[in-house]
Amino acid sequence: MQNQPDWCNKGLAPVTAVITPTGRHEEGKDRSFITVDNRERTAVRIRFIITQSKREPSGMLFGALRNPRLKMLKPIPLTISRDESGSVAVCWEAIQEFGYGANLHTALQDFSATIAELHFFLESEAQRLGEDLGRVSAILREHIAPRR
Amino acid sequence: MKVREFETLVTKLNMKTRNAGDRLAWFEHEGKVITRTKRSHGSGDLPHHLIRQQLKLSQEELAGIIGCSLRRQDYVEILTKKGLIT
């Protein structure tokens, strides 16, 4: 027949079957075999290969503000980088604020504490801010706010 | 950036500080808060380029302040040229 995959010409045909827990299951050294119960009793080999990427993310959305006096309005986009010493820096480019630590977890903890402190500082000095810090304060207010 | 270099920076620029967990430091000029930076307690070296960016300085300018070739008044002139002080 025309337009048929090549394996159709070899006496093989696809089947549709439901693999149920009652199907015969055998464990091998590094693979499992499940016999799919169909009329032809075709043995199906299923192998799961799990690989862990060693590539670190280059960015993330931050939403884990830990200060009980503040709440997140929307997540903060962070870039992630690692310096020569292996320490991790997370950076909010829009206001050039950062968290820094031995690993991503401690860098994020540092960042969380930093933006909370920055928020309270900028609010307390609102009347005396230069133009750039006024811009920083406005951006920060889009993302965090006091809990009422 | 070593902690002692950060302390030199704070002292040379006569930055104001507070010590609430982190070490927030800010630069004031004529009653206005112009720039800010911070260091965390317990860290080893500090992220040089990130602190530099917060203070709106180039690598050479920051080295000049830490190395004593630039003073507070020079920092005011730098910020004025960059439009942060008007």
Side-chain angles (χ1 to χ4, degrees):
Chain A
M1 290 176 68
Q2 291 183 344
N3 299 324
Q4 287 284 337
D6 186 60
W7 47 261
C8 280
N9 300 323
K10 295 181 180 175
L12 300 175
V15 295
T16 300
V18 175
I19 300 175
T20 70
T22 59
R24 192 161 60 101
H25 176 217
E26 299 171 31
E27 285 285 346
K29 183 181 175 186
D30 60 354
R31 61 195 70 177
S32 295
F33 296 89
I34 298 177
T35 301
V36 178
D37 289 330
N38 58 27
R39 280 190 289 181
E40 288 78 27
R41 292 193 177 276
T42 303
V44 177
R45 178 183 298 171
I46 299 174
R47 170 184 277 182
F48 295 95
I49 301 172
I50 299 171
T51 57
Q52 188 170 7
S53 171
K54 293 184 180 176
R55 206 168 50 176
E56 289 183 326
S58 60
M60 61 176 287
L61 289 175
F62 174 83
L65 198 58
R66 302 184 104 185
N67 192 297
R69 296 163 57 194
L70 297 172
K71 63 182 179 183
M72 294 290 301
L73 298 177
K74 60 181 184 181
I76 294 170
L78 296 178
T79 59
I80 304 169
S81 59
R82 191 180 283 270
D83 64 21
E84 316 81 53
S85 70
S87 295
V88 176
V90 294
C91 187
W92 187 7
E93 303 283 351
I95 66 168
Q96 293 177 329
E97 193 51 83
F98 65 92
Y100 191 68
N103 52 54
L104 182 58
H105 175 70
T106 54
L108 289 172
Q109 282 187 317
D110 185 42
F111 181 77
S112 179
T114 294
I115 58 166
E117 184 177 358
L118 181 64
H119 167 81
F120 292 124
F121 170 72
L122 293 176
E123 290 298 301
S124 69
E125 301 289 348
Q127 302 305 315
R128 301 201 303 133
L129 297 180
E131 189 175 329
D132 187 64
L133 285 181
R135 178 191 65 85
V136 167
S137 182
I139 292 173
L140 197 50
R141 282 199 303 274
E142 292 175 10
H143 293 266
I144 66 176
R147 284 188 191 277
R148 299 280 175 215
Chain B
M1 178 184 289
K2 302 293 182 190
V3 172
R4 63 173 183 276
E5 291 175 321
F6 184 89
E7 298 296 341
T8 298
L9 196 64
V10 169
T11 303
K12 287 284 295 294
L13 298 182
N14 196 23
M15 295 179 80
K16 304 281 175 66
T17 61
R18 47 193 247 184
N19 201 19
D22 268 4
R23 178 94 188 267
L24 184 68
W26 65 94
F27 178 79
E28 290 187 18
H29 178 70
E30 295 182 350
K32 288 274 193 185
V33 182
I34 308 298
T35 59
R36 99 294 177 184
T37 188
K38 66 106 181 183
R39 74 162 175 89
S40 299
H41 289 291
S43 302
D45 280 1
L46 305 171
H48 187 276
H49 66 290
L50 295 174
I51 291 172
R52 178 175 65 74
Q53 283 172 5
Q54 289 183 325
L55 296 177
K56 313 297 182 186
L57 292 169
S58 69
Q59 207 164 330
E60 295 74 22
E61 290 163 346
L62 180 60
I65 292 173
I66 294 173
C68 300
S69 63
L70 294 179
R71 296 171 297 179
R72 178 188 162 92
Q73 187 52 41
D74 298 305
Y75 185 50
V76 172
E77 288 175 16
I78 290 168
L79 293 179
T80 304
K81 277 185 196 166
K82 294 183 179 179
L84 284 112
I85 292 177
T86 53

